[in-house]
């Protein structure tokens, strides 16, 4: 039996969410949008994604209200920002179970510099850290890539701040 193309017969919030974010490239686009990537060309260079696929995924995220189009940029919405805990948890889970080396990216509390705990709290300040206070830093396992976004992210970068590659 062929695999269905949607979850129409599933009456489940997880299935409905997967309709929006369950495709292989989509969470990577959301991750980069949280990092501050906004331009089509920057998503394209950073993700090594086929142009047509990127165009389709960006449009589906705009249609779902996860991103909004602002001129030539794609800006993450409040709905999209709510995916931050999912992205963070998935990254930490991947590090624990599938990481070949040290972490590629470190998510730190900009206020004190401590690395966020797996649950998104600051172990030093003993409180949840709002997305706007998260600083992205290259980890010891960061590969040396030469696309403009990766070059810009070699320095500490506050989440949501536009990446100017």
């Amino acid at each position: 039996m062929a695999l269905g193309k949607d979850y129409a017969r599933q009456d489940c919030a997880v299935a409905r969410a997967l309709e929006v974010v369950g495709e292989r490239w989509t969470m990577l686009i959301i991750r980069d949008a949280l990092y501050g990537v906004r331009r089509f060309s920057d998503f394209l260079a950073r993700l090594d994604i086929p142009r047509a696929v990127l165009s389709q995924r960006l449009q589906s995220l705009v249609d779902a209200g996860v991103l909004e189009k602002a001129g030539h940029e794609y800006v993450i919405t409040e709905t999209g920002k709510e995916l931050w805990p999912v992205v963070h948890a998935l990254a930490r889970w991947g590090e624990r179970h599938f990481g070949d080396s040290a972490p590629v990216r470190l998510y730190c509390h900009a206020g004190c510099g401590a690395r966020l705990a797996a649950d998104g709290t600051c172990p030093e300040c003993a409180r949840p850290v709002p997305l706007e206070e998260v600083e992205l830093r290259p980890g010891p396992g960061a590969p040396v890539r030469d696309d403009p976004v990766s070059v810009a992210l070699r320095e500490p970068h506050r989440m949501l701040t536009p990446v100017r590659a």
Side-chain angles (χ1 to χ4, degrees):
M1 183 169 166
L3 182 62
K5 295 186 188 242
D6 61 30
Y7 304 98
R9 297 185 59 163
Q10 296 288 324
D11 186 21
C12 168
V14 172
R16 288 189 297 275
L18 286 173
E19 284 292 317
V20 177
V21 300
E23 186 278 328
R24 117 179 228 198
W25 291 107
T26 304
M27 287 303 286
L28 298 176
I29 292 168
I30 292 167
R31 175 204 64 193
D32 282 4
L34 288 165
Y35 289 0
V37 176
R38 293 185 169 187
R39 293 185 221 135
F40 184 92
S41 60
D42 289 338
F43 283 111
L44 190 66
R46 169 122 164 105
L47 296 173
D48 296 323
I49 183 174
R51 182 178 291 275
V53 173
L54 177 60
S55 182
Q56 182 182 26
R57 297 304 177 265
L58 287 169
Q59 187 58 54
S60 69
L61 289 168
V62 168
D63 293 345
V66 174
L67 298 175
E68 64 185 12
K69 189 93 185 311
H72 294 291
E73 296 186 332
Y74 293 89
V75 180
I76 195 145
T77 64
E78 292 303 315
T79 299
K81 291 175 189 176
E82 288 181 31
L83 288 165
W84 161 242
V86 176
V87 171
H88 181 247
L90 192 58
R92 295 297 293 264
W93 181 77
E95 287 172 9
R96 280 192 311 277
H97 298 287
F98 304 104
D100 292 335
S101 62
V104 171
R105 300 269 176 238
L106 302 176
Y107 303 102
C108 301
H109 182 199
C112 72
R115 185 174 182 199
L116 299 185
D119 66 357
T121 60
C122 175
E124 296 294 320
C125 302
R127 68 175 179 89
V129 178
L131 179 58
E132 295 78 11
E133 294 179 26
V134 175
E135 185 174 77
L136 176 68
R137 296 179 184 167
V144 179
R145 293 188 47 173
D146 61 356
D147 66 271
V149 173
S150 294
V151 170
L153 294 179
R154 288 182 188 156
E155 299 297 323
H157 180 81
R158 187 78 65 108
M159 298 287 277
L160 303 174
T161 302
V163 172
R164 296 297 176 211

